[in-house]
Amino acid sequence: MHDPPTYRSTRGHGPVDLGEALVAGLALDGGLYLPDPLPRIPLPPAGRIGAVAVPVLEAFLGQGRAGWVPAALSFDTPLRPMGPRRYLLDLTRGPSAAFKDVGARFLAGALSELAAAPGGSRRTVLVATSGDTGGAVAAAFHGMPGLRVVVLFPAGAVSPRQRLQFTTLGDDVIALGVAGPFDACQRLVKEALSDEEMRSRHLLTSANSINIGRLLPQMVWYVKALSELEADGGPVTFVIPSGNLGNLCAGLLASELVGREARLVGAVNENQAWVDWLEGRAHRGRDTVATPSSAMDVGRPSNLERIEFLTDRTPRLRERLGGVSIDTTETLRTMRRHHAATGVFVDPHTAVGLAAADRVRTRGPVVVLSTADAGKFPETVRRATGALPPVPTALAGLDGRTEMWSPLEPTLDALRVALDSDRESST
Ligand SMILES: *Cc1c(COP(=O)(O)O)cnc(C)c1O
């Protein structure tokens, strides 16, 4: 028996319990929460994701408190062989066909189980999205008691298929189309969370990957893959298509949790702050470059602060980290080659990972994480391969549904009025 860990900010604030860290999202001192001390468990036996999840997450939640977790992680993450000692870890089977489903579903369950609002009132979860996060969060929070989710999206810059995922649910899912770019949405979320009055009036929290609740469940698929590859020998190398580095950070925590020396290679597009950091170059605050792997178009990865904190404290971790940058030409070529060789479409994010894996030198097994279904990016897939991918089952049936969303001026006052009125207008 062991107590659940407490959580401490990378900038020192704490300790707090998990419920408090989940509700805060960002720590009060502006840092990011990490479990402190890091728990350790024996490597669990291979099994379905829901079964592996219980011992992994009990280490962070406390014993006997993970009863609801298998329901949150109820779809599998199969490890598909691609060649000698090469595997594709398929994380795309969730309700919005992207790996963010796992973090979003766990966070929704955790907030309603571990951090129920006092006196039966509702918490409001704000989420800014450039496309993918909104669908995963909306699907996860829809119907969860005591929570409403407010999705802020750039009205002119989200594809119709992505928008349908968060504008057709209704009930406790409110969609606001911001007159401005994604940056304006992200700024509004931060401003609202920093506004004492709005924060306490609506019990605001956030559902992006600064929230430790998005990271914890992502450890499960690393542990599951490590269990399945235990007999393969040699250190396992994970190649992770990366943007904000939340997934890579989860991999680092997971390998420490079960005491395995896995290597973690972050595969990035032209936005290569991660590679700069690894090579000791100061990041010069470069502008974000738009690429086909748009969920990875991040100039200042938020989770770098967690990774820096962990490697400063435990320098040996540094040796297990790697990074490769892949440009758009090579991404599209990889999508075309993979389709020609296997008949299977890959999405542009996974393609960055596949191209990066070709540059990894190791005798051990290599696992590339597949982060989204190709059918979510039909235009890019057609550009690369000349053919259209099938619509993922998870998204079939959305076309033609009635959308409900309200336009929003990009000001905090406009958001305050929208949160108070909680009306939806049909468009
Ligand atoms: C968010 C996302 C990523 C990047 O994940 P991080 O945890 O931010 O590094 C990669 N691929 C897809 C499809 C994503 O949606």
Side-chain angles (χ1 to χ4, degrees):
M1 285 294 238
H2 49 77
D3 291 331
T6 50
Y7 293 77
R8 193 178 287 280
S9 159
T10 46
R11 299 184 193 175
H13 178 260
V16 300
D17 69 18
L18 180 58
E20 213 173 313
L22 293 175
V23 166
L26 193 66
L28 297 174
D29 61 4
L32 306 182
Y33 284 117
L34 276 168
D36 182 43
L38 271 184
R40 312 263 161 179
I41 60 167
L43 186 67
R48 292 186 66 83
I49 187 166
V52 176
V54 172
V56 170
L57 291 169
E58 259 183 357
F60 296 91
L61 266 54
Q63 239 140 19
R65 293 178 81 193
W68 50 275
V69 164
L73 281 77
S74 59
F75 44 89
D76 219 353
T77 56
L79 195 57
R80 307 188 191 288
M82 285 196 293
R85 315 204 87 194
R86 297 260 152 168
Y87 302 87
L88 194 69
L89 180 56
D90 182 354
L91 306 177
T92 69
R93 307 286 104 201
S96 85
F99 82 88
K100 290 190 174 75
D101 284 323
V102 169
R105 283 160 68 88
F106 174 85
L107 181 60
L111 279 171
S112 73
E113 287 286 328
L114 307 175
S121 39
R122 297 191 293 186
R123 288 196 190 284
T124 295
V125 182
L126 290 179
V127 61
T129 184
S130 58
D132 249 18
T133 312
V137 168
F141 283 76
H142 185 225
M144 292 304 274
L147 298 168
R148 79 169 163 168
V149 57
V150 176
V151 181
L152 294 126
F153 66 100
V158 167
S159 78
R161 190 171 286 170
Q162 286 179 320
R163 201 180 61 215
L164 281 160
Q165 289 183 66
F166 51 80
T167 57
T168 58
L169 294 167
D171 304 330
D172 46 5
V173 179
I174 318 290
L176 300 173
V178 174
F182 169 65
D183 283 343
C185 304
Q186 210 161 20
R187 178 177 49 77
L188 281 175
V189 171
K190 284 199 184 128
E191 284 178 7
L193 284 170
S194 311
D195 184 302
E196 291 274 320
E197 193 271 331
M198 280 177 84
R199 196 176 172 126
S200 56
R201 182 175 167 81
H202 296 293
L203 303 173
L204 293 182
T205 183
S206 119
N208 55 31
S209 76
I210 53 174
N211 196 321
I212 187 73
R214 282 267 309 268
L215 248 62
L216 296 180
Q218 296 185 12
M219 288 189 290
V220 175
W221 56 63
Y222 291 97
V223 173
K224 179 173 179 283
L226 286 170
S227 308
E228 288 168 17
L229 294 173
E230 183 72 348
D232 253 40
V236 177
T237 300
F238 291 100
V239 181
I240 307 150
S242 292
N244 266 319
L245 297 166
N247 204 359
L248 190 140
C249 186
L252 193 59
L253 293 171
S255 56
E256 283 296 284
L257 174 74
V258 298
R260 293 295 182 278
E261 302 265 305
R263 277 187 73 207
L264 301 149
V265 177
V268 296
N269 57 32
E270 284 96 330
N271 298 284
Q272 48 169 312
W274 170 238
V275 177
D276 288 348
W277 181 80
L278 285 171
E279 293 176 357
R281 282 194 295 272
H283 10 141
R284 291 179 293 278
R286 292 193 221 182
D287 286 342
T288 307
V289 182
T291 77
S293 48
S294 55
M296 295 164 23
D297 293 349
V298 179
R300 307 171 104 251
S302 52
N303 282 285
L304 197 50
E305 179 158 338
R306 285 194 171 106
I307 294 166
E308 210 156 28
F309 179 89
L310 291 167
T311 53
D312 279 352
R313 207 166 57 166
T314 315
R316 69 177 162 79
L317 295 181
R318 242 336 255 271
E319 290 149 35
R320 290 166 36 196
L321 302 176
V324 179
S325 167
I326 300 295
D327 67 17
T328 296
T329 309
E330 196 173 346
T331 303
L332 297 174
R333 193 191 307 137
T334 304
M335 291 171 75
R336 183 168 59 246
R337 277 209 196 127
H338 193 83
H339 180 244
T342 67
V344 175
F345 293 103
V346 288
D347 84 285
H349 307 80
T350 304
V352 169
L354 288 169
D358 284 341
R359 308 214 185 142
V360 168
R361 274 173 224 312
T362 172
R363 288 189 308 277
V366 176
V367 178
V368 179
L369 277 59
S370 173
T371 51
D373 191 291
K376 298 187 86 175
F377 306 91
E379 298 81 14
T380 308
V381 171
R382 182 157 58 187
R383 184 173 154 207
T385 67
L388 269 178
V391 180
T393 343
L395 306 188
L398 280 178
D399 294 339
R401 290 235 199 127
T402 307
E403 291 191 62
M404 288 168 291
W405 60 276
S406 306
L408 187 81
E409 284 306 310
T411 67
L412 191 60
D413 277 340
L415 180 59
R416 184 179 286 119
V417 171
L419 291 185
D420 283 343
S421 69
D422 192 344
R423 274 187 289 109
E424 296 152 34
S425 66
S426 201
T427 55

